[in-house]
Structure formats: C-alpha cells, structure tokens
Amino acid sequence: GENVEQHPSTLSVQEGDSAVIKCTYSDSASNYFPWYKQELGKRPQLIIDIRSNVGEKKDQRIAVTLNKTAKHFSLHITETQPEDSAVYFCAASPNGNQFYFGTGTSLTVIP
Amino acid sequence: GAVVSQHPSWVICKSGTSVKIECRSLDFQATTMFWYRQFPKQSLMLMATSNEGSKATYEQGVEKDKFLINHASLTLSTLTVTSAHPEDSSFYICSATGPPREAFFGQGTRLTVV
C-alpha cells in the first residue's frame, strides 16, 4: 500500500514568518494530495488539495506544490498567524476515496 | 460542505464489554466509508474500508474479529469494538467521500476502556 512520510514532526515559527511542511509518497498511482488541519480533539479539516495534473496551487496564504517525478509535495503557509497553530496532515490517495496520511506536523506560531 | 456525523463523541466502557460507534453521512450517500484510529499526538491510521452491502476490507494488522464493521445502508456505517481492553482506548474517526470528491470526517469518538 501507500506510504506517506512527513517532515518535520514539530515546527515553531515567529508570527509573520513562513512555514513549510514536506511529504513524500511511495505509490505512483496516487493522484490526489489533500492537506488537513486538525485542532486538538477535533476532526481534520481540509485546507487545500492538489491533483496530479497540477504542479502548484495557491489559496491566499496557503500554497501547495507537487513534484510527481520525485513523489513529493509540500505545504507553504506565509505570513503565519497564531490561529495557524495546529497539527497538519498531508495525505495521498490513489482513488479519491482511501486516504493514507502522513505522520503529522505540530505547528506552533509564536506571537 | 457535506456533513458526516459520528456518535457517540465520547464513551467510557468496562474492559470486556463491546462498544458500537456510528458514522452517518447526513446529506449525501456514501457507498464507501473509512474508519481511522488516532493515538494521542499521532497521525490517523486507516483501519478499514467499509463497503455498503458487502464485507469490509481491513488494513494489514487490524483484527477483523476485534473491530466489526457493518455498512447496512448508504448513509450509515458502524464500528463495534468487541471485548474492549485498555489498549483499545483511542480516538476513532470515520470519513466518507462526498461531493466534490472530498473526504469529510466525523467529529471522532474518544473511547476509554477502564
């Protein structure tokens, strides 16, 4: 099955700085890569996604890049704010139904 | 967006008893739902794929007799943790793919076995 690795596991940044989280995947059949934000004790919420026919996607302060050849994708958050503090998960899916998650990154934005 | 509701959100049970968790898609039909387990400060681990009208598909290492899954309708899947033990204590989350092909998660069930 798919194996998704995520780095770093923890990340602290000063408010206003950028944060970058990186993931790699193993199954070349994966074609959909969502990113989720999870606050403590709550359900994951989709924040951005990218499909394999696109190399980059941006939504305001959040952007995701995908390198299919190298099988890695990254989340970029610019101008970070304290409310961005949460755990972020990347995921890979071969069919848009089953999702294989990375190990998570705990992001802390220091005011 | 689409809504997936999970019940209960929190349950405490005695060791040896069984616990049933429900996952409902409220405004769309889901032929397939997924069950995940999450340990504190860890990622979501896919446990099984619940298929409406047929047997669930379990991930490697997940005991099918321990975690019984039933998907009797297009909007409901249930996970029963049988003969629960303290090591089964965890956060269980279901998901279903709703329009437009996005995974929607239930709010999760925190199970504590004492």
Side-chain angles (χ1 to χ4, degrees):
Chain A
E2 176 65 275
N3 180 43
V4 179
E5 296 188 356
Q6 183 172 346
H7 300 280
S9 56
T10 60
L11 178 61
S12 292
V13 299
Q14 290 291 137
E15 182 177 359
D17 287 350
S18 295
V20 179
I21 303 170
K22 298 182 178 182
C23 288
T24 61
Y25 62 100
S26 62
D27 189 352
S28 57
S30 289
N31 55 24
Y32 175 60
F33 307 92
W35 286 87
Y36 291 88
K37 176 182 180 181
Q38 186 181 29
E39 297 178 4
L40 189 64
K42 296 187 178 180
R43 75 185 84 190
Q45 298 279 2
L46 178 70
I47 55 171
I48 195 167
D49 57 11
I50 191 166
R51 299 190 186 273
S52 59
N53 58 345
V54 176
E56 184 175 356
K57 183 176 179 180
K58 188 174 181 180
D59 183 4
Q60 299 183 343
R61 296 186 297 110
I62 297 174
V64 58
T65 58
L66 170 66
N67 183 325
K68 281 182 61 180
T69 304
K71 295 194 184 71
H72 65 70
F73 55 113
S74 301
L75 177 71
H76 304 252
I77 306 175
T78 59
E79 300 172 30
T80 53
Q81 301 166 5
E83 50 266 36
D84 294 330
S85 296
V87 178
Y88 291 81
F89 293 100
C90 63
S93 176
N95 52 24
N97 281 320
Q98 289 170 303
F99 293 83
Y100 296 88
F101 288 84
T103 46
T105 297
S106 178
L107 173 65
T108 302
V109 179
I110 304 166
Chain B
V3 178
V4 174
S5 178
Q6 195 171 333
H7 177 82
S9 56
W10 184 46
V11 58
I12 300 175
C13 71
K14 289 186 177 180
S15 187
T17 62
S18 296
V19 174
K20 180 185 285 188
I21 303 169
E22 294 186 349
C23 180
R24 294 180 184 273
S25 56
L26 296 187
D27 50 2
F28 65 98
Q29 294 182 333
T31 56
T32 308
M33 292 185 177
F34 303 89
W35 288 96
Y36 297 86
R37 182 174 182 175
Q38 186 176 34
F39 290 104
K41 297 185 180 181
Q42 293 190 27
S43 188
L44 295 103
M45 183 192 76
L46 178 64
M47 297 175 64
T49 302
S50 172
N51 303 298
E52 187 267 335
S54 65
K55 292 183 179 180
T57 305
Y58 290 82
E59 295 296 302
Q60 192 173 10
V62 178
E63 300 176 59
K64 57 182 68 177
D65 295 331
K66 175 74 170 174
F67 300 100
L68 299 179
I69 291 172
N70 184 272
H71 195 150
S73 77
L74 288 170
T75 59
L76 173 64
S77 174
T78 60
L79 169 69
T80 301
V81 183
T82 62
S83 187
H85 288 94
E87 56 266 30
D88 298 324
S89 299
S90 192
F91 193 53
Y92 293 87
I93 307 180
C94 67
S95 78
T97 302
R101 259 190 125 194
E102 176 185 330
F104 293 93
F105 290 87
Q107 62 268 50
T109 297
R110 184 160 302 285
L111 171 63
T112 302
V113 184
V114 298

